[in-house]
Amino acid sequence: LNYETTRIGSYSDFEAMEFYPTIAAALDIMMEESTTLNDKGRILNVYSDSNRVKGIIEDLFFNRLDLHTTLPMWTRNTCKYGDNFLFLNIDEKHGILGGQQMPNYEMERRENDLFNMIANRNDNLTDDSPSSDKVKFIWRTGNVEFNSWQIAHFRLLGDDRRLPYGTSMLEKARRIWKQLQLSEDAMLVYRVTRAPERRVY
């Protein structure tokens, strides 16, 4: 609950940190090294004793989701924010037909219906309740609620204070980045205020 209020602010910091060439280059390196093509020209290999299963999975990854184009962007977004939300276009007969990138700022993950339990003061909700183990995703702007199987949530687990979201690779550098930004602003203000005095001299 505490992190939910500061999550949007951290996303804004990560967005601003990318304007520094060093940080942007570090994200690019992590993206490229994680999605390097193998000797067959593919990002990933599918192993299965069944040719049918192998064919279905390869069709899903390479044709429908087009991993060679989308996976580098998903990887970079996950490293940058610690999370990546993907809406899965699912058909009852044909399964997953594709994926649509969702904005991290507007997505919210709810587990065990905790928010509704606190808001409604529902003390009767127990662990045995069928609605207590649901994972839901809320799109705030569109005011749409998704089931857990409609959203693919990529997250980097590491810090339990960020649960149920992930931890960004840039999280440890946030404090240093803010100090650098303040130092640059102070230097600029100092030079501007000293300019008239130097001209008089």
Side-chain angles (χ1 to χ4, degrees):
L1 286 174
N2 189 23
Y3 178 60
E4 184 65 36
T5 58
T6 60
R7 184 169 66 96
I8 305 303
S10 63
Y11 284 168
S12 301
D13 288 344
F14 300 147
E15 195 72 36
M17 290 171 73
E18 195 178 5
F19 285 97
Y20 279 81
T22 307
I23 297 177
L27 291 174
D28 291 337
I29 290 173
M30 284 187 281
M31 174 193 70
E32 293 171 0
E33 292 295 326
S34 301
T35 57
T36 304
L37 300 178
N38 58 15
D39 55 348
K40 298 179 181 178
R42 290 188 171 184
I43 291 181
L44 58 86
N45 293 323
V46 179
Y47 299 99
S48 176
D49 295 333
S50 173
N51 291 331
R52 177 178 173 273
V53 172
K54 184 176 180 181
I56 292 174
I57 295 178
E58 287 182 347
D59 176 64
L60 169 65
F61 287 151
F62 299 120
N63 297 331
R64 302 188 182 192
L65 294 178
D66 192 15
L67 286 191
H68 286 102
T69 303
T70 56
L71 188 59
M73 293 183 288
W74 297 346
T75 304
R76 194 179 194 282
N77 213 36
T78 306
C79 292
K80 179 180 174 182
Y81 296 110
D83 296 279
N84 188 52
F85 298 91
L86 182 70
F87 172 72
L88 300 176
N89 183 13
I90 300 176
D91 182 72
E92 292 183 2
K93 295 182 179 179
H94 302 93
I96 298 176
L97 301 179
Q100 178 67 37
Q101 180 70 44
M102 301 296 289
N104 286 30
Y105 290 87
E106 302 171 5
M107 295 301 296
E108 179 181 336
R109 177 179 176 133
R110 295 183 181 178
E111 292 185 357
N112 300 326
D113 216 10
L114 179 62
F115 288 89
N116 290 336
M117 184 179 66
I118 295 176
N120 299 330
R121 304 287 183 179
N122 187 4
D123 297 329
N124 297 326
L125 188 63
T126 61
D127 294 337
D128 298 332
S129 174
S131 62
S132 63
D133 57 348
K134 287 184 178 179
V135 176
K136 297 179 181 179
F137 295 93
I138 309 297
W139 184 20
R140 294 171 180 167
T141 302
N143 196 20
V144 180
E145 182 177 303
F146 299 102
N147 293 315
S148 58
W149 48 269
Q150 291 178 295
I151 298 292
H153 182 200
F154 302 93
R155 53 182 178 168
L156 298 176
L157 298 177
D159 192 347
D160 59 345
R161 294 173 298 177
R162 301 287 185 264
L163 291 176
Y165 303 97
T167 305
S168 171
M169 302 288 288
L170 307 179
E171 180 65 35
K172 304 303 180 183
R174 275 182 71 191
R175 182 170 178 270
I176 300 174
W177 169 77
K178 288 183 177 181
Q179 289 176 340
L180 175 62
Q181 198 175 33
L182 290 173
S183 301
E184 291 177 348
D185 293 343
M187 180 182 66
L188 182 62
V189 170
Y190 174 76
R191 291 201 172 193
V192 170
T193 54
R194 286 281 295 168
E197 299 178 11
R198 295 181 65 179
R199 287 183 178 275
V200 169
Y201 176 76

